[in-house]
């Protein structure tokens, strides 16, 4: 999707990809085969680019810092990336700035960790949440512990996973996400906060503006901007929030275009992808105003049947106003394959159409999420 | 732009290009190096594709027909392409169907052509318009003759150009264009007709809905649909119209996405590029409803200064809501390099912003076209 935005602006995007058939390669002007986990591969990319940016955070921060020292322009830089790469660091930066986060503690996984975990549970209650501080995404690297007796196995399994984040299980009234685009000089624009629905830690739908009171949405939008400033983000940043007992808490951050912002492609004047490019290239940022009263964006996952998406596309495109985005990935059960966005005047109509098209593409109905009236699998 | 739409839908686009650095190659999944003027190059393309379509009409119709006979799916087919490739044929098909066109005659350029030209002038007045029936576009292949004495030189220069179309010089009150998307089964959708401004035969701006009475726009939209049906178009078709003395006349047609339809990328629910792909792949067509009361799209041409666009982009993107599309071509005076679209509530505001951004990109002010108030070069 970043490649599509780059093409529109006449920019040449060079992609560092592990395989020439990776989806991003199809729209890249040029492909460098390699991995961000090797410094020499990153150097080969840097030689071809004016500016290096990211679409994931599986990044070695030492290499990023080294590239910068060697004269490459890397945006966001290592400091901002650190917020996204290391959840423990992210929490401590937010706490230091007085921003609201769930109760938590970071522990080294070692001989004392069982006691630390039991103490945290005694203070903040069970179940609790255990996260690896690095490497998790889309629900990976996150576990719920119902009681202390379950801890030993998990701690053993995570012996090599580095520091762990113990966190209170926040009773959720809703989840929100805010996308911010920020230039090197700190100038920034913010899309309005949206409501997200996660199942198993994976985003299933994004509703704009969602069902929360506008005052909550506005407070969330402002909080997102504060977090981006604090991180010194350059490019687009996603800030995921909990809404719990009348309070907003920062849950996760990502310093890149994010699933919560896919709705902006059709739903806002400027998409997150275009503003990400504009921000990292230090160009004026585009307007973030929504273009419709309501937007719904629903993720498409591979279903158990494994029908090829191609054969299902006609049914999905028959839904009025369904903007189908497929990521060029092979169908596999549970794999995120694309998303559908629908914009319009009525919240229920756009949500129903987006779900209708997503289910038509073979995406399963996630358990525990209410489908709109009239939508059936 | 078709490549960007293909990428969004997860489709693989294979491009037949003469050079690997042609702009379309940057977003193609695959490139076949060759020319549509060689049957074997077209065969090499056909081997890699489910469906072949076009983004220009410099096409050998015999080869297209041959490809179809060999089992390739070519959309639009040779018959529809014939309408776009041969202006004489296009005029005769429209006349036969009773659709309105300028007074004209097709002549073979030979010993009798000077007399034929003088006779046409005597009947329809001077100046008259002379066009090559094939190979013209963007003002190329079109001449105005002020009087009979100017004819000899032109006829000599066009001795090898094939049949010529002589046409009355229509007194223009306005020009319009209609984009239609049509599936193989004849199902079609039509975007509302737009007003276009041409200078020297080249489109400079597109205004949606434009300044004409809605009844004219509606009649134009309906006429566009009739022409597409008559052509048996599959994919997107552009129908360019004259509005003259209270009458609509069909001027030109193109059986492909067209400059007059670039506004649909941001201005309509579904873009001409996406619906072209949906139509040629026989998928359900997307809604063509405009998303804003007013849209202005202004073409960007290389100016005499020859500034690289990159250095001018910051100024252009500073215009609120300016969607800048650059085609990845090297700057050259007079070359069409891109376009800018702005959408909004007020006709004058969107036009002023689109022109502001286009001029900021170094595009010259075309003589004879009034700029919006407050916009200066």
């Amino acid at each position: 999707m970043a490649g599509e935005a780059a093409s529109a602006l006449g920019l040449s995007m060079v992609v560092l990809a592990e395989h020439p058939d990776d989806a991003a390669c199809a729209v890249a002007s040029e492909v460098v085969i390699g991995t961000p986990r090797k410094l020499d591969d990153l150097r080969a990319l840097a030689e071809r680019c004016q500016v290096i940016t990211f679409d994931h955070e599986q990044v070695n921060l030492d290499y990023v810092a080294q590239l910068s020292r060697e004269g490459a322009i890397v945006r966001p830089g290592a400091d901002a990336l650190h917020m996204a790469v290391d959840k423990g660091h992210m929490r401590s930066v937010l706490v230091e700035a007085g921003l609201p986060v769930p109760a938590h503690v970071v522990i080294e996984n070692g001989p004392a960790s069982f006691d630390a975990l039991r103490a945290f549970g005694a203070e903040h209650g069970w179940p609790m949440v255990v996260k690896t501080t690095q490497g998790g995404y889309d629900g990976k690297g996150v576990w719920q512990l119902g009681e202390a007796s379950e801890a030993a196995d998990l701690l053993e399994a995570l012996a090599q996973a580095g520091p762990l984040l113990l966190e209170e299980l926040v009773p959720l009234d809703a989840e929100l996400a805010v996308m911010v685009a920020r230039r090197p000089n700190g100038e920034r624009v913010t899309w309005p906060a949206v409501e997200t629905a996660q199942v198993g830690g994976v985003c299933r739908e994004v509703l704009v503006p969602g069902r929360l009171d506008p005052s909550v949405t506005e407070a969330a939008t402002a909080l997102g901007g504060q977090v981006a400033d604090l991180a010194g983000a350059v490019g687009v940043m996603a800030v995921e929030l909990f809404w719990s007992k009348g309070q907003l808490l920062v849950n996760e951050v990502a310093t890149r275009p994010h699933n919560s912002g896919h709705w902006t492609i059709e739903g806002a004047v400027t998409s997150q992808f275009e503003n990400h490019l504009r921000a990292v290239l230090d160009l004026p940022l585009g307007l973030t105003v929504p273009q419709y009263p309501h937007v719904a964006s629903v993720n498409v996952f591979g279903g158990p049947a494994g029908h090829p998406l191609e054969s299902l596309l006609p049914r999905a495109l028959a839904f009025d106003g369904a903007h189908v985005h497929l990521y060029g990935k092979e169908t596999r059960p549970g794999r995120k394959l694309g998303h559908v966005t629908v914009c319009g005047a009525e919240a229920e109509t756009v949500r129903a159409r987006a779900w209708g098209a997503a289910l038509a593409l073979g995406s399963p109905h996630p358990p525990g999420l209410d489908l709109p009236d009239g939508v059936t699998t």
Side-chain angles (χ1 to χ4, degrees), chain A:
Chain A
M1 290 177 276
E4 294 154 22
S7 169
L9 285 171
L11 305 171
S12 294
M13 191 176 76
V14 186
V15 165
L16 177 66
E18 303 207 13
H19 305 286
D21 52 354
D22 282 358
C25 300
V27 287
S29 306
E30 199 180 323
V31 177
V32 172
I33 297 297
T35 161
R37 291 176 300 281
K38 286 189 187 163
L39 183 56
D40 279 343
D41 292 350
L42 287 166
R43 284 181 176 135
L45 177 69
E47 268 172 32
R48 309 288 313 134
C49 296
Q50 286 180 286
V51 175
I52 293 180
T53 188
F54 306 88
D55 72 349
H56 63 69
E57 50 268 300
Q58 312 306 312
V59 174
N60 182 317
L61 294 180
D62 294 334
Y63 292 169
V64 170
Q66 178 62 26
L67 279 185
S68 294
R69 279 192 296 273
E70 292 173 9
I73 300 178
V74 186
R75 293 175 178 157
D79 287 353
L81 282 167
H82 193 187
M83 282 273 285
V85 167
D86 182 337
K87 291 175 187 176
H89 174 69
M90 181 261 286
R91 288 270 184 270
S92 72
V93 170
L94 295 173
V95 168
E96 201 169 318
L99 296 184
V101 297
H104 67 280
V105 67
V106 176
I107 62 166
E108 294 297 327
N109 191 358
S113 44
F114 184 75
D115 288 343
L117 196 140
R118 203 162 47 180
F120 186 83
E123 188 179 351
H124 298 285
W126 297 89
M128 76 163 68
V129 177
V130 179
K131 298 179 179 180
T132 54
T133 54
Q134 297 201 26
Y137 66 97
D138 267 2
K140 296 183 181 73
V142 178
W143 297 265
Q144 260 191 46
L145 282 184
E147 51 182 73
S149 65
E150 297 171 11
D153 287 351
L154 181 64
L155 290 173
E156 194 184 322
L158 294 177
Q160 305 304 320
L164 300 177
L165 180 70
L166 311 184
E167 201 164 82
E168 64 168 327
L169 181 66
V170 174
L172 293 183
D173 296 311
E175 293 188 66
L176 296 96
V178 187
M179 300 302 308
V180 186
R182 195 168 178 280
R183 292 177 72 174
N185 66 358
E187 183 190 320
R188 64 165 157 86
V189 292
T190 310
W191 289 266
V194 301
E195 187 180 348
T196 63
Q198 331 280 325
V199 175
V202 180
C203 179
R204 302 295 170 145
E205 69 172 2
V206 173
L207 303 178
V208 189
R211 292 164 286 204
L212 294 163
D213 190 87
S215 65
V216 177
T217 301
E218 281 163 33
T221 306
L223 180 53
Q226 283 180 283
V227 173
D229 287 343
L230 197 61
V234 177
V236 151
M237 180 164 192
V239 181
E240 295 183 275
L241 303 167
F242 293 145
W243 172 242
S244 172
K245 300 180 185 171
Q247 210 197 347
L248 289 165
L249 303 170
V250 179
N251 176 29
E252 305 272 1
V253 303
T255 50
R256 53 167 169 84
H258 189 263
N259 198 161
S260 313
H262 290 352
W263 70 275
T264 61
I265 297 175
E266 293 88 8
V269 174
T270 313
S271 79
Q272 65 166 346
F273 296 100
E274 180 168 338
N275 262 349
H276 182 70
L277 296 173
R278 287 162 75 152
V280 300
L281 292 168
D282 202 14
L283 293 167
L285 300 173
L287 298 175
T288 52
V289 189
Q291 306 198 88
Y292 287 88
H294 292 280
V295 184
S297 197
V298 171
N299 284 335
V300 174
F301 295 86
H307 294 301
L309 287 178
E310 196 183 308
S311 67
L312 303 171
L313 201 50
R315 282 176 55 212
L317 291 175
F319 285 85
D320 270 354
H323 294 285
V324 173
H325 292 262
L326 298 176
Y327 306 156
K329 296 179 187 169
E330 214 174 304
T331 309
R332 212 162 57 202
R335 189 181 202 188
K336 198 193 292 176
L337 302 173
H339 72 273
V340 179
T341 296
V342 178
C343 308
E346 293 172 355
E348 275 311 296
T349 307
V350 299
R351 186 166 179 255
R353 288 184 183 162
W355 272 105
L359 297 174
L361 286 165
S363 193
H365 170 206
L369 194 76
D370 285 338
L371 290 185
D373 287 345
V375 174
T376 50
T377 51

